[in-house]
Amino acid sequence: MVILLAYLIVVPLIGMIGTSFEVCRSDTRIIGKPSGSFTTFYWKKLFASSLSHKLFYVPFMNSLLVAASASIIAILLGSIFAWLMVRTDIPCKNFFSIALLVPYMVPSWSLSLSWLSVFKNRRIGGAQGFLSYLGIATPDWIAYGPVAIILVLGIHYYAYAYLLVSSALRSINSELEEMGQIIGASKRMILRKVTFPLVMPAILSSVILTFTKCMGTFGVPAFLGTKVKYYTISTTLYSAMKSGQKGIGFAVALALIIFASITVFTNQMIIGKRKSYATIGGKGGRSTLISLGKWNKPIFIMIVIFLILFVFFPILIMAYETFLLKPGDFSLKNLTLQHWIGKSDLSINSGEPGILTNPKFLTYTWNTLKLTLITAIVGTIMGQILGYIAARGRATASGKFIEQLVFIPYLIPSIGFGAMYLALFAKAKSIILFGYQITLIPSLYGTFALLVLISVVKHLPFASRAGTSNMMQISYELEEAAQINGAKFFRRFKSIIFPLSKGGFWSGFMLIFISIIKELDLIILLMTPKQQTLSYMAYSFSMESLDQLSNSVALVLFIIIFTVYWLASKFAKADISKGF
């Protein structure tokens, strides 16, 4: 596992660092050195040139503003919802627990489309949105730009905080809070002095997860920022790579990775220095719900209003827009099935047929499902094995090393990770050994195998953490009993470990499945015409201002995700909160 992880994680990172100091073929005349020779040109251009302000500093500060603001919104919403669902007597918990996860199941870029369906105006982006159609003038700063990006990311990522904090709150014995009540502490003081310190690690983990995701996210800034020239570090990286400035692109990616790493390690230092509290003891525990009293109905109504305004309404408007013949006209007489089953018409959608009659849609759907299923299966199996190594070897140096090594992809924003694999697998690298040519790194660019490989490796931190949590619940004495009877490792794993960990296996599977099927940031730099997915298809339609077709593809993705999650929850008892 050490050799495998080093090859898949450490080697690509070192490769990209080296490439950022090599002269690209397209820049040989500018730099005055042959291709492949050493240079610091790209780093100087990025940090210490007349173009540095535009290339790095402005996009970086924009990303910092977006990530910090969206994280605050996401953590506040997620933590409040988690406390209400786990620790209080709020009604309709089963419905709310599913409804609150809908933004997580919807791709973040899809939420951007929903946002535009409601708020865009004629001044920017052509066709008007729903509010403009009703005569409500929406300002430009609401439709596009930093405010729109921050709100969309905050609504999408609050689910991470909700899942992590919920899990932490479920582990707390309510007797700890009841002791505060016995000595006369108010509910506010108990929340501040008892509950909040106990869930602080989960909240800090949520902060770091949300912040690093927002720093490296591409889809939302691309949809809501580029039309008003609001660029973030991820859109700058994408523009540099697509315009052939690979040296600049790799340098930007490395700067993003370094910043994300510093942020994560700062978080670990904060958690490491704080006091630790054991919440699960040998006496067992119980969970007594806190009565909201007179606030029960008002809070219930506020949650319903939030779900209607920020979850269901935008998705419904986006779905309704897929039936509009002319964009911006929401009247019933403008309804059509053209964008779903219509034939090619040059006067509509630049001649693109409806998605269900478009051969490309069927091909990209197959690519998406194939990529998602293979990645989820391989990633989950590897996660369970890595989880076993980490759980059983926590007291050993090798177990700790594996646990830290597999964590590296978590530090690297998705679009930076894509750039890393592009740098490594763009061309084959071989050595001559004993007269034979041995290929150490194959040329995988443009192949389906590269998409699977990068998707599996990028999601190994989630898969392995889910596997570790799963394996730590299985007592080692069960394996010892089988070992005494002569059972070898693979027999023990097949007959004992895997049957007992099936619930966690499906939870980890769903966690990866949902993440991959809506993925855009990770694979956008690796896309070729034959390997495109539904996410990239929707992005391409949106960039061509074919909003109805883009919304139709996004809606199909949401239906697939929700259906698979419902089936896995009902028949396999999968729960993505266990994966978290």
Side-chain angles (χ1 to χ4, degrees):
M1 274 298 175
V2 169
I3 294 170
L4 181 64
L5 291 174
Y7 181 80
L8 295 175
I9 298 170
V10 179
V11 171
L13 183 58
I14 294 172
M16 187 167 72
I17 293 170
T19 306
S20 71
F21 288 99
E22 292 178 0
V23 177
C24 294
R25 188 178 301 172
S26 59
D27 295 326
T28 52
R29 289 185 179 180
I30 299 172
I31 300 175
K33 292 183 179 180
S35 175
S37 57
F38 178 82
T39 183
T40 58
F41 172 79
Y42 303 113
W43 290 95
K44 288 178 180 177
K45 186 176 180 180
L46 192 64
F47 291 108
S49 74
S50 58
L51 295 174
S52 298
H53 188 70
K54 181 180 178 181
L55 276 177
F56 182 77
Y57 293 114
V58 170
F60 179 78
M61 293 308 296
N62 288 344
S63 293
L64 208 58
L65 172 67
V66 165
S69 304
S71 297
I72 292 170
I73 293 172
I75 301 309
L76 285 174
L77 286 175
S79 301
I80 291 169
F81 287 143
W83 183 76
L84 289 171
M85 294 300 115
V86 176
R87 306 299 291 164
T88 72
D89 60 348
I90 196 85
C92 301
K93 284 187 179 181
N94 290 335
F95 168 74
F96 284 147
S97 61
I98 295 175
L100 288 170
L101 288 179
V102 169
Y104 172 72
M105 297 180 193
V106 179
S108 59
W109 52 264
S110 178
L111 287 178
S112 302
L113 297 178
S114 302
W115 183 271
L116 292 175
S117 296
V118 176
F119 291 105
K120 68 181 175 181
N121 53 50
R122 289 187 181 277
R123 291 186 297 276
I124 304 174
Q128 62 187 355
F130 183 69
L131 291 181
S132 294
Y133 172 76
L134 296 177
I136 302 172
T138 54
D140 295 345
W141 59 269
I142 280 286
Y144 291 93
V147 173
I149 296 171
I150 288 166
L151 291 175
V152 168
L153 288 175
I155 292 169
H156 177 69
Y157 284 118
Y158 82 75
Y160 286 108
Y162 171 72
L163 289 166
L164 283 165
V165 177
S166 293
S167 180
L169 286 169
R170 287 192 187 99
S171 72
I172 297 175
N173 187 342
S174 62
E175 290 176 356
L176 298 169
E177 294 169 316
E178 288 171 3
M179 287 177 182
Q181 287 180 316
I182 290 171
I183 61 172
S186 64
K187 288 180 181 178
R188 184 179 297 178
M189 180 173 284
I190 292 169
L191 195 64
R192 185 166 55 90
K193 292 287 190 178
V194 180
T195 310
F196 185 72
L198 290 172
V199 297
M200 178 60 76
I203 291 174
L204 289 174
S205 295
S206 305
V207 169
I208 215 66
L209 177 61
T210 306
F211 185 82
T212 52
K213 284 275 188 182
C214 291
M215 276 296 293
T217 192
F218 169 78
V220 177
F223 282 109
L224 299 177
T226 52
K227 287 187 178 180
V228 291
K229 298 185 188 265
Y230 188 85
Y231 297 105
T232 61
I233 201 79
S234 58
T235 53
T236 301
L237 167 58
Y238 178 76
S239 299
M241 298 297 289
K242 283 301 178 182
S243 61
Q245 301 179 62
K246 291 186 178 180
I248 292 293
F250 292 146
V252 171
L254 285 168
L256 190 58
I257 291 167
I258 291 167
F259 180 78
S261 303
I262 292 170
T263 308
V264 171
F265 285 122
T266 302
N267 173 69
Q268 291 301 103
M269 288 176 65
I270 293 171
I271 291 179
K273 289 181 179 179
R274 67 179 288 282
K275 292 180 180 179
S276 61
Y277 302 93
T279 60
I280 302 176
K283 296 180 179 179
R286 57 191 176 87
S287 179
T288 304
L289 298 179
I290 297 171
S291 175
L292 293 175
K294 64 180 181 179
W295 289 100
N296 201 309
K297 284 187 178 180
I299 291 175
F300 174 82
I301 292 170
M302 282 190 284
I303 295 175
V304 171
I305 292 172
F306 172 84
L307 289 173
I308 291 173
L309 291 180
F310 296 103
V311 178
F312 300 127
F313 178 68
I315 293 174
L316 287 173
I317 291 297
M318 183 183 73
Y320 185 78
E321 198 172 33
T322 65
F323 297 101
L324 301 183
L325 181 61
K326 296 178 182 179
D329 181 2
F330 289 83
S331 63
L332 295 177
K333 64 181 181 182
N334 191 41
L335 296 182
T336 181
L337 293 174
Q338 171 66 31
H339 311 300
W340 291 95
I341 58 175
K343 295 181 180 180
S344 178
D345 185 343
L346 290 176
S347 65
I348 303 172
N349 293 330
S350 302
E352 289 282 350
I355 63 167
L356 298 182
T357 58
N358 190 336
K360 292 180 182 178
F361 175 78
L362 297 177
T363 302
Y364 299 162
T365 301
W366 171 241
N367 288 345
T368 302
L369 293 175
K370 186 170 59 171
L371 174 64
T372 304
L373 288 172
I374 293 174
T375 300
I377 291 169
V378 174
T380 307
I381 291 172
M382 284 192 68
Q384 296 297 310
I385 295 170
L386 288 166
Y388 180 89
I389 294 171
R392 296 291 184 257
R394 283 207 154 186
T396 65
S398 59
K400 291 176 181 177
F401 181 68
I402 286 284
E403 197 169 18
Q404 294 301 319
L405 188 60
V406 78
F407 189 69
I408 292 175
Y410 174 77
L411 306 177
I412 305 173
S414 292
I415 196 164
F417 205 77
M420 194 170 81
Y421 265 57
L422 178 63
L424 185 70
F425 292 104
K427 57 183 179 180
K429 297 174 179 64
S430 307
I431 60 169
I432 304 296
L433 189 64
F434 302 115
Y436 294 96
Q437 184 174 348
I438 300 173
T439 301
L440 295 178
I441 299 169
S443 176
L444 295 178
Y445 179 68
T447 66
F448 183 75
L450 182 58
L451 299 183
V452 172
L453 188 64
I454 191 173
S455 299
V456 169
V457 176
K458 176 60 180 171
H459 291 86
L460 276 182
F462 285 110
S464 65
R465 292 287 172 166
T468 302
S469 176
N470 207 9
M471 296 303 168
M472 288 183 70
Q473 297 177 52
I474 301 172
S475 175
Y476 187 61
E477 63 189 23
L478 300 171
E479 283 189 86
E480 288 178 334
Q483 203 168 8
I484 291 169
N485 284 295
K488 301 297 182 183
F489 169 74
F490 288 105
R491 176 70 188 278
R492 299 198 306 271
F493 200 89
K494 180 173 73 74
S495 302
I496 298 174
I497 300 299
F498 184 72
L500 290 173
S501 62
K502 278 191 295 187
F505 178 90
W506 284 111
S507 299
F509 175 88
M510 282 309 305
L511 191 65
I512 299 176
F513 181 92
I514 293 174
S515 298
I516 291 296
I517 197 170
K518 62 185 185 177
E519 186 63 73
L520 178 64
D521 303 358
L522 180 66
I523 58 178
I524 192 166
L525 292 175
L526 306 175
M527 282 287 102
T528 59
K530 290 184 179 179
Q531 307 298 344
Q532 290 185 19
T533 61
L534 289 179
S535 297
Y536 191 80
M537 187 183 194
Y539 170 74
S540 300
F541 280 147
S542 179
M543 291 299 102
E544 296 170 15
S545 297
L546 304 178
D547 294 338
Q548 290 101 319
L549 292 178
S550 184
N551 288 341
S552 300
V553 175
L555 192 62
V556 169
L557 265 179
F558 172 69
I559 292 170
I560 293 172
I561 293 170
F562 192 82
T563 302
V564 172
Y565 179 69
W566 180 80
L567 290 172
S569 301
K570 187 172 181 63
F571 297 107
K573 307 300 180 186
D575 181 1
I576 56 174
S577 64
K578 290 181 180 177
F580 269 84

